[in-house]
Amino acid sequence: MRIDPDLLRAIAWVESKYNPNAIGKNNNSIDIGLMQINSQHINYLKSLGITPYQLRNDACMNIYTGAYNAGFKNN
């Protein structure tokens, strides 16, 4: 799948203003990092080997996960 890099930059800007340490709080979940990956997806992401620690501390993994998520929503 190919995701336009400008789309990823736009998502990161809107979601976190490019802050890799951003944490958003919702009613029963949190959004993590640049792409604000929602914690409701954690169990699925763990099955892929992606941990909350990685989403918080590895900006590349956070962006990759956001791209993966965006690709599924747009296909």
Side-chain angles (χ1 to χ4, degrees), residues 3-65:
I3 304 290
D4 186 333
D6 288 334
L7 174 60
L8 296 177
R9 280 187 281 276
I11 292 169
W13 176 252
V14 168
E15 293 294 337
S16 70
K17 302 295 187 261
Y18 299 140
N19 178 0
N21 300 312
I23 298 292
K25 295 182 175 138
N26 297 307
N27 292 333
N28 295 315
S29 63
I30 61 169
D31 299 322
I32 304 167
L34 283 167
M35 302 295 277
Q36 293 289 277
I37 307 302
N38 192 275
S39 62
Q40 72 181 356
H41 304 293
I42 291 299
N43 288 334
Y44 175 69
L45 294 173
K46 283 182 182 177
S47 77
L48 300 174
I50 301 168
T51 66
Y53 179 86
Q54 289 173 302
L55 293 174
R56 283 190 310 272
N57 297 291
D58 183 340
C60 289
M61 180 60 78
N62 192 283
I63 293 167
Y64 182 83
T65 303

Side-chain angles (χ1 to χ4, degrees), residues 40-41 67-75:
Q40 72 181 356
H41 304 293
Y68 180 81
N69 196 20
F72 274 105
K73 288 181 179 174
N74 290 320
N75 285 328

